[in-house]
Structures are given as structure tokens and as C-alpha cells.
């Protein structure tokens, strides 16, 4: 197992991505296309930036990518709320997605603050 997979922030981001991808595919409708596409990209970006920063093996680069991941998670959280208000996805799905994103953002904040965690 890659060490980044042990990061709680990545685990939550990965679960959010899987949920978003599966549910957006299952509930696709032409009117939801733009929002679903943006949600997919934002959730993928969270986990991908955690992995990329981790792989670069420098505290500075890891921190930089964590901040990008945090921005993508905030974007995904907003898109999830918008999708919920428009009722494009079931309420339980949007609740679950928001919860995963909140947990991922909290963990990312913790990694940014914790200097020892910035060295893979």
C-alpha cells in the first residue's frame, strides 16, 4: 500500500470521489451535466493533489498541494450544496458527500498545521 493511502485526508477524499462519480452517473440528466462535471473534477482534484504533494517528498511542495486540495474540497462542498438545493441528487447522497468533504477538509487543515506530517 502506498503511504499516502494511510492519510485520513486522502481516505475521506477518495470516498467522496467514489460517491460523487457513482451518484452523478446514476442520476445523470442533461440539465445537471455542467454541475455534475464540475463536481467530478473538484472531488478528483482533492485526492489527486494530496497524492501529488505527498509524492514530491518536500514539506514545501506537500503543503502547497494540500492548500490546492483544500480549495478543491471547498469548491466541491459548494457544488454539493447547490446540487442539493436543485435536488439533482438524493438528499442522503448530498449529506454523505458533504460529511466526507468536511472530514477531508478538517484533516487537510490538520496536515497543513502539523509540521511533522509534512515530511512523507
Amino acid at each position: 500500500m502506498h503511504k499516502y493511502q494511510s492519510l485520513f485526508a486522502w481516505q475521506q477524499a477518495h470516498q467522496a470521489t467514489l460517491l460523487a462519480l457513482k451518484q452523478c452517473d446514476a442520476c445523470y440528466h442533461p440539465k445537471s451535466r455542467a454541475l455534475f462535471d464540475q463536481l467530478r473534477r473538484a472531488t478528483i482534484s482533492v485526492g489527486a493533489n494530496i497524492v501529488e504533494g505527498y509524492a514530491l517528498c518536500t514539506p514545501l511542495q506537500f503543503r502547497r498541494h494540500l492548500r490546492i486540495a483544500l480549495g478543491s474540497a471547498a469548491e466541491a462542498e459548494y457544488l454539493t450544496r447547490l446540487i442539493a438545493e436543485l435536488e439533482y441528487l438524493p438528499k442522503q447522497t448530498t449529506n454523505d458527500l458533504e460529511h466526507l468533504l468536511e472530514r477531508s477538509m478538517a484533516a487537510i487543515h490538520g496536515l497543513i498545521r502539523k509540521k511533522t506530517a509534512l515530511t512523507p
Side-chain angles (χ1 to χ4, degrees):
M1 175 160 78
H2 296 287
K3 290 185 180 184
Y4 70 81
Q5 292 175 329
S6 67
L7 296 173
F8 184 73
W10 178 85
Q11 293 169 1
Q12 296 301 292
H14 185 67
Q15 290 303 311
T17 301
L18 292 174
L19 180 61
L21 293 174
K22 289 176 183 178
Q23 290 301 308
C24 287
D25 287 347
C27 298
Y28 177 79
H29 188 278
K31 66 181 180 183
S32 64
R33 181 175 179 224
L35 285 175
F36 281 5
D37 286 348
Q38 190 64 28
L39 178 63
R40 285 182 186 102
R41 284 191 297 274
T43 57
I44 290 168
S45 178
V46 180
N49 273 290
I50 293 169
V51 171
E52 185 176 358
Y54 189 91
L56 292 173
C57 296
T58 68
L60 186 60
Q61 287 296 320
F62 190 36
R63 185 181 297 123
R64 178 178 177 269
H65 281 80
L66 288 173
R67 287 187 176 125
I68 295 168
L70 189 59
S72 293
E75 177 185 3
E77 184 181 48
Y78 166 71
L79 292 166
T80 301
R81 288 180 183 166
L82 184 57
I83 287 168
E85 289 176 17
L86 293 169
E87 299 177 350
Y88 286 173
L89 289 176
K91 187 67 175 162
Q92 185 61 49
T93 298
T94 57
N95 286 345
D96 291 347
L97 196 49
E98 283 184 0
H99 181 70
L100 288 166
L101 291 166
E102 287 170 6
R103 291 173 61 147
S104 183
M105 285 190 289
I108 292 168
H109 274 293
L111 287 171
I112 290 170
R113 284 192 307 267
K114 188 175 180 184
K115 292 182 183 184
T116 58
L118 297 177
T119 306

